[in-house]
Amino acid sequence: MNVYVETSIISYLTARPTNDIRAAAHQNATLEWWSSRRSEFTLYISEFVTAEAAEGNAEAANRRLTAIADLQLLQATPEVMSLAEKLLHAGALPRKAYGDAFHIAISAVHGMDYLLTWNCKHIANAVMRPKIEAVCMIEDYAPPIICTPEELMSEE
């Protein structure tokens, strides 16, 4: 199974411990998934993930870039750019969420089974998800299953 790893996953994976309860829960779930489930999937990123991971504090950026160094890179094709624009034009995501549309489009165009993210504002959002899936299907792409690490844990 193929998983597109969106930047928020890498950020939580490499972040310093925090006292913020929600962020700490996301960090813990991400670390648990990364250590226990990662090997069950083929992980992919895009140039957009690399660019986002390189932003900000140099030390933190280095941790993020090191974490993704061995992941396979998906290319931004004209089809990816077209689908991202269609997601925005159809209102599946707000215009300001171009980067988020790109993550969804690259994962759909490249046939990813899952899009792993903590971005619940525009990507892993129950209200937007049906609109995202509809646009992908209209454009003849199977939408990835959008989920958080908590949702992609195995049953034991």
Side-chain angles (χ1 to χ4, degrees):
M1 301 293 259
N2 297 320
V3 176
Y4 178 82
V5 181
E6 188 264 338
T7 317
S8 63
I9 298 297
I10 305 307
S11 294
Y12 279 110
L13 177 68
T14 61
R16 294 187 187 278
T18 179
N19 290 328
D20 179 276
I21 294 170
R22 185 183 311 204
H26 288 175
Q27 286 175 330
N28 290 336
T30 303
L31 288 167
E32 181 181 349
W33 186 88
W34 199 262
S35 65
S36 68
R37 294 294 313 274
R38 173 188 181 187
S39 63
E40 299 173 33
F41 302 94
T42 304
L43 305 184
Y44 294 85
I45 57 169
S46 66
E47 60 198 55
F48 205 75
V49 171
T50 303
E52 290 175 341
E55 294 176 350
N57 175 279
E59 183 182 323
N62 187 50
R63 286 194 307 273
R64 291 188 296 267
L65 292 171
T66 298
I68 62 175
D70 65 337
L71 303 186
Q72 297 186 47
L73 187 67
L74 299 175
Q75 297 301 313
T77 63
E79 294 82 8
V80 168
M81 305 314 278
S82 175
L83 181 57
E85 186 57 40
K86 288 176 181 174
L87 286 162
L88 296 169
H89 182 72
L93 293 111
R95 273 269 168 213
K96 66 181 180 181
Y98 182 78
D100 298 333
F102 181 85
H103 290 301
I104 294 164
I106 201 161
S107 61
V109 169
H110 288 283
M112 296 290 103
D113 298 300
Y114 298 97
L115 189 169
L116 194 63
T117 185
W118 278 115
N119 179 338
C120 298
K121 185 172 183 178
H122 297 134
I123 301 176
N125 179 301
V127 173
M128 295 178 172
R129 193 173 293 152
K131 297 173 191 175
I132 291 166
E133 292 171 353
V135 172
C136 289
M137 289 187 282
I138 288 168
E139 297 302 318
D140 290 326
Y141 296 108
I145 296 169
I146 298 171
C147 58
T148 66
E150 292 171 332
E151 296 172 305
L152 200 54
M153 293 298 285
S154 64
E155 293 182 22
E156 294 181 14

